[in-house]
Amino acid sequence: MAAPGQAPAAALRAVLKPSGPLPAESLPVRGYDFAGGPDHAALLRSFRTTGFQATSFAQAVAEIQRMIAAKLEPLSEEERARAGLGGPRPPSGCTIFLGFTSNLISSGVRESIRYLVQHNMVDVLVTTAGGVEEDLIKCLAPTYIGDFSLRGRDLRQSGINRIGNLLVPNDNYCKFEDWLMPILEKMVDEQETQGARWTPSRMIARLGKEIDDPDSVCYWAQKNNIPVLSPALTDGSLGDMIFFHSYKRPGLVLDIVEDLRLINTQAIFARKTGMIILGGGLVKHHIANANLMRNGADFSVYVNTAQEFDGSDSGARPDEAVSWGKIRMDATPVKVYADASLVFPLLVAETFAQRADAFPSATPGD
């Protein structure tokens, strides 16, 4: 028992346990002080010592900066020759894979992605069918801001489709059909008369060329020889139109195996690779699995809101990918648990946009 006037010794030892040394990289927590006025760049820099997902954001900025630095490193002749085996892109010190789900193209994040593609800042795109068709449809008619709470029954009766709090009139898809059907007809013609071999990425490049609109991600991707891989290209409105067209004129063939070789060789022959993956599902795994072919990516940033408790690949943290050989064991990958519509434009602002002068950019019509 404790002596009179003294707290129990066991309780004192438990509550007042001495601290050991902190990890070497530990920094004091401190947020942004608005007393000096608003400075958005300083605010974002302060995220490093803010904590929680703000600190994860700052770590993602640092990881992408390392990715860019590696990309801009000069290659030896031998390295240049090897990297050139990966595909049509000019070889660089780091091949950057950017994956994104279709909802981000439906949103204003499309403009951030288009900026990267226009300025040759990334090398390979992976998306779903919606990530292609929504980009093209926006060139034909706009998507609108709505509300998450709008009733599906009422919208259906009005011919309006909801993507979160975005609204897409069904007329947009009718316009898409009118635009796409003649192109599908020409693709079948070229397949039958010229021996054209269509893959999802070649089809997307063709659609990007046909849309001829500098607001389009697909337009800039084909102009800059950036392949857009979409192994599930038929899972959306594009698939609906291909299905309808097949009754009028069957026979269109899309070879997904050739695209599989393309994405895998992009990883295999790269000097280094970086992965920036927005969202989960197919786009996340398709990029990660390609990087398995080289025993893992050197740099990785995930941005999504998925959790790992259900065992889904979407929610898996980067360390799970390390166990599969999809991220290198000595890498410093980062996952930011956040909505990419909030985070990704800020990531671009703090990384690629800061180095814009280091990247060549095409202009419409070049």
Side-chain angles (χ1 to χ4, degrees):
M1 294 186 60
Q6 291 185 349
L12 287 170
R13 286 194 299 271
V15 174
L16 302 179
K17 181 177 177 62
S19 299
L22 290 166
E25 66 276 11
S26 297
L27 297 171
V29 172
R30 184 172 178 82
Y32 182 73
D33 186 351
F34 282 96
D39 181 335
H40 293 95
L43 172 63
L44 293 176
R45 287 195 299 271
S46 77
F47 280 13
R48 186 183 180 203
T49 56
T50 296
F52 309 133
Q53 293 311 300
T55 294
S56 295
F57 171 87
Q59 291 168 342
V61 167
E63 182 78 345
I64 294 174
Q65 287 172 338
R66 288 189 287 270
M67 209 181 290
I68 294 170
K71 185 172 187 60
L72 298 176
E73 288 176 359
L75 295 173
S76 68
E77 286 302 315
E78 181 179 349
E79 289 172 328
R80 183 171 294 278
R82 176 177 170 79
L85 297 173
R89 293 277 297 158
S92 70
C94 180
T95 297
I96 298 179
F97 294 77
L98 174 62
F100 49 91
T101 47
S102 67
N103 56 321
L104 299 177
I105 291 293
S106 301
S107 77
V109 176
R110 175 193 186 221
E111 278 61 48
S112 296
I113 294 169
R114 190 269 308 151
Y115 170 81
L116 298 180
V117 176
Q118 178 179 351
H119 292 270
N120 278 293
M121 293 170 170
V122 294
D123 301 287
V124 182
L125 303 182
V126 177
T127 190
T128 57
V132 175
E133 67 207 22
E134 292 294 321
D135 174 63
L136 300 168
I137 290 168
K138 277 185 165 183
C139 298
L140 306 173
T143 297
Y144 297 90
I145 296 293
D147 193 277
F148 285 101
S149 64
L150 293 172
R151 293 186 62 205
R153 179 187 179 91
D154 296 339
L155 292 173
R156 180 60 182 167
Q157 290 175 336
S158 299
I160 298 172
N161 306 289
R162 182 170 67 84
I163 305 169
N165 62 349
L166 309 180
L167 299 176
V168 187
N170 210 58
D171 286 347
N172 292 18
Y173 297 96
C174 299
K175 293 175 182 178
F176 184 54
E177 180 184 23
D178 292 341
W179 176 79
L180 181 62
M181 286 301 181
I183 299 172
L184 293 178
E185 192 73 12
K186 288 189 284 186
M187 288 174 62
V188 177
D189 280 342
E190 292 168 24
Q191 180 181 290
E192 293 180 349
T193 63
Q194 303 173 27
R197 294 179 56 188
W198 295 107
T199 64
S201 65
R202 287 200 189 108
M203 180 177 184
I204 295 165
R206 176 62 172 271
L207 297 179
K209 183 176 181 179
E210 294 281 353
I211 201 67
D212 194 25
D213 187 328
D215 283 341
S216 163
V217 174
C218 295
Y219 168 85
W220 286 108
Q222 61 83 27
K223 183 171 283 293
N224 289 333
N225 284 322
I226 297 173
V228 183
L229 286 304
S230 186
L233 188 62
T234 56
D235 186 28
S237 181
L238 264 172
D240 298 343
M241 303 312 162
I242 292 171
F243 170 70
F244 295 149
H245 183 264
S246 72
Y247 283 89
K248 177 183 178 183
R249 190 171 176 191
L252 179 65
V253 176
L254 295 177
D255 183 353
I256 64 171
V257 176
E258 190 171 339
D259 269 1
L260 179 63
R261 287 174 60 94
L262 173 59
I263 189 170
N264 286 353
T265 54
Q266 291 270 350
I268 291 168
F269 294 111
R271 182 200 212 183
K272 292 182 179 179
T273 62
M275 305 190 299
I276 302 173
I277 304 176
L278 312 177
L282 179 147
V283 302
K284 182 170 182 273
H285 188 262
H286 200 49
I287 292 174
N289 201 72
N291 278 274
L292 169 61
M293 301 296 156
R294 57 176 286 106
N295 201 31
D298 300 275
F299 311 99
S300 303
V301 170
Y302 297 171
V303 180
N304 66 59
T305 57
Q307 305 290 322
E308 68 175 345
F309 65 85
D310 58 1
S312 67
D313 182 73
S314 293
R317 292 180 298 111
D319 192 60
E320 184 173 308
V322 174
S323 79
W324 287 91
K326 297 169 184 176
I327 294 176
R328 301 216 165 192
M329 290 187 290
D330 59 352
T332 55
V334 180
K335 176 172 178 176
V336 184
Y337 291 83
D339 174 3
S341 70
L342 281 170
V343 168
F344 190 60
L346 298 176
L347 281 174
V348 172
E350 288 297 285
T351 56
F352 291 100
Q354 301 289 333
R355 301 298 306 276
D357 59 345
F359 294 93
S361 61
T363 57
D366 281 358

PDB file of all heavy atoms in Angstrom, residues 17 125 165 278 346 362:
ATOM      1  N   LYS A  17       5.080   6.620 -17.072  1.00  0.00           N
ATOM      2  CA  LYS A  17       6.118   5.798 -17.687  1.00  0.00           C
ATOM      3  C   LYS A  17       7.055   6.664 -18.516  1.00  0.00           C
ATOM      4  O   LYS A  17       6.600   7.475 -19.336  1.00  0.00           O
ATOM      5  CB  LYS A  17       5.486   4.727 -18.578  1.00  0.00           C
ATOM      6  CG  LYS A  17       6.494   3.791 -19.250  1.00  0.00           C
ATOM      7  CD  LYS A  17       5.799   2.722 -20.049  1.00  0.00           C
ATOM      8  CE  LYS A  17       6.813   1.840 -20.766  1.00  0.00           C
ATOM      9  NZ  LYS A  17       7.694   1.133 -19.826  1.00  0.00           N
ATOM     10  N   LEU A 125      -1.760   5.293 -69.437  1.00  0.00           N
ATOM     11  CA  LEU A 125      -3.026   5.497 -68.741  1.00  0.00           C
ATOM     12  C   LEU A 125      -3.776   4.176 -68.668  1.00  0.00           C
ATOM     13  O   LEU A 125      -3.783   3.402 -69.630  1.00  0.00           O
ATOM     14  CB  LEU A 125      -3.900   6.519 -69.473  1.00  0.00           C
ATOM     15  CG  LEU A 125      -3.329   7.919 -69.716  1.00  0.00           C
ATOM     16  CD1 LEU A 125      -4.380   8.793 -70.406  1.00  0.00           C
ATOM     17  CD2 LEU A 125      -2.878   8.560 -68.420  1.00  0.00           C
ATOM     18  N   ASN A 165     -23.124  13.343 -57.278  1.00  0.00           N
ATOM     19  CA  ASN A 165     -23.878  14.596 -57.355  1.00  0.00           C
ATOM     20  C   ASN A 165     -23.703  15.278 -58.717  1.00  0.00           C
ATOM     21  O   ASN A 165     -23.825  16.490 -58.846  1.00  0.00           O
ATOM     22  CB  ASN A 165     -23.500  15.553 -56.221  1.00  0.00           C
ATOM     23  CG  ASN A 165     -22.041  15.980 -56.256  1.00  0.00           C
ATOM     24  OD1 ASN A 165     -21.237  15.420 -56.995  1.00  0.00           O
ATOM     25  ND2 ASN A 165     -21.699  16.974 -55.456  1.00  0.00           N
ATOM     26  N   LEU A 278      -5.686   6.412 -58.819  1.00  0.00           N
ATOM     27  CA  LEU A 278      -6.820   7.126 -58.239  1.00  0.00           C
ATOM     28  C   LEU A 278      -8.030   6.202 -58.266  1.00  0.00           C
ATOM     29  O   LEU A 278      -8.548   5.876 -59.333  1.00  0.00           O
ATOM     30  CB  LEU A 278      -7.112   8.402 -59.038  1.00  0.00           C
ATOM     31  CG  LEU A 278      -5.896   9.286 -59.363  1.00  0.00           C
ATOM     32  CD1 LEU A 278      -6.329  10.477 -60.216  1.00  0.00           C
ATOM     33  CD2 LEU A 278      -5.196   9.743 -58.092  1.00  0.00           C
ATOM     34  N   LEU A 346      -4.730  19.100 -56.102  1.00  0.00           N
ATOM     35  CA  LEU A 346      -3.719  19.683 -55.222  1.00  0.00           C
ATOM     36  C   LEU A 346      -2.380  18.970 -55.380  1.00  0.00           C
ATOM     37  O   LEU A 346      -1.318  19.610 -55.336  1.00  0.00           O
ATOM     38  CB  LEU A 346      -4.187  19.621 -53.770  1.00  0.00           C
ATOM     39  CG  LEU A 346      -5.464  20.402 -53.436  1.00  0.00           C
ATOM     40  CD1 LEU A 346      -5.867  20.178 -51.984  1.00  0.00           C
ATOM     41  CD2 LEU A 346      -5.275  21.889 -53.714  1.00  0.00           C
ATOM     42  N   ALA A 362       2.670  19.402 -76.567  1.00  0.00           N
ATOM     43  CA  ALA A 362       2.194  19.638 -77.923  1.00  0.00           C
ATOM     44  C   ALA A 362       1.126  20.716 -77.891  1.00  0.00           C
ATOM     45  O   ALA A 362       0.601  21.089 -76.847  1.00  0.00           O
ATOM     46  CB  ALA A 362       1.623  18.343 -78.502  1.00  0.00           C
TER      47      ALA A 362
END
